[in-house]
């Protein structure tokens, strides 16, 4: 039997139409906030969501933003490791 599934390395762009619709679930509070902001900007909620998604993708793929996030995570991990070392040292002193 032939395998008809596309490999993970093949481009999925070929199968995506020019415009694609998708839906997502939001908590009522988040929906109201999004709707209020869209109304403030006098655009549809779909247009606002599209802007947010595209800006998020741009940031997610930006090398400068990636470096910033990596540095932030590095500092968080180093601070946590320091706390753990200090806690371990205090336990050693108590023994």
């Amino acid at each position: 039997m032939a395998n008809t599934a596309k490999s993970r390395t093949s481009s999925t762009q070929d199968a995506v139409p020019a415009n694609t619709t998708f839906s997502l679930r939001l908590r009522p509070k988040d929906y109201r906030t999004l709707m209020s902001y869209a109304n403030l900007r006098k655009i549809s909620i779909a247009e606002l969501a599209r802007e947010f998604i595209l800006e998020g993708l741009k940031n997610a793929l930006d090398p400068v933003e990636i470096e910033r996030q990596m540095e932030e995570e590095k500092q968080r991990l180093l601070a946590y490791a320091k706390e753990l070392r200090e806690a371990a040292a205090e336990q050693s002193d108590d023994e």
Side-chain angles (χ1 to χ4, degrees), residues 33-48:
T33 301
L34 193 63
M35 181 61 82
S36 294
Y37 189 59
N39 288 336
L40 178 71
R41 300 224 4 239
K42 297 181 182 351
I43 61 175
S44 72
I45 195 168
E47 289 172 298
L48 181 62

Side-chain angles (χ1 to χ4, degrees), residues 5-80:
K6 285 189 169 189
S7 72
R8 289 179 181 234
T9 58
S10 67
S11 173
T12 58
Q13 290 177 344
D14 297 336
V16 178
N19 291 310
T20 302
T21 301
F22 77 99
S23 64
L24 66 134
R25 296 185 191 279
L26 294 172
R27 293 178 298 194
K29 176 186 170 199
D30 296 332
Y31 179 81
R32 285 190 303 271
T33 301
L34 193 63
M35 181 61 82
S36 294
Y37 189 59
N39 288 336
L40 178 71
R41 300 224 4 239
K42 297 181 182 351
I43 61 175
S44 72
I45 195 168
E47 289 172 298
L48 181 62
R50 187 179 311 109
E51 285 180 14
F52 285 160
I53 290 168
L54 294 175
E55 185 65 24
L57 283 171
K58 179 180 152 191
N59 288 339
L61 301 174
D62 179 20
V64 173
E65 179 62 18
I66 292 168
E67 290 287 339
R68 186 196 65 75
Q69 289 180 14
M70 288 172 51
E71 184 60 32
E72 189 176 286
E73 181 68 4
K74 176 183 169 184
Q75 294 306 317
R76 187 188 71 79
L77 291 171
L78 288 171
Y80 186 64

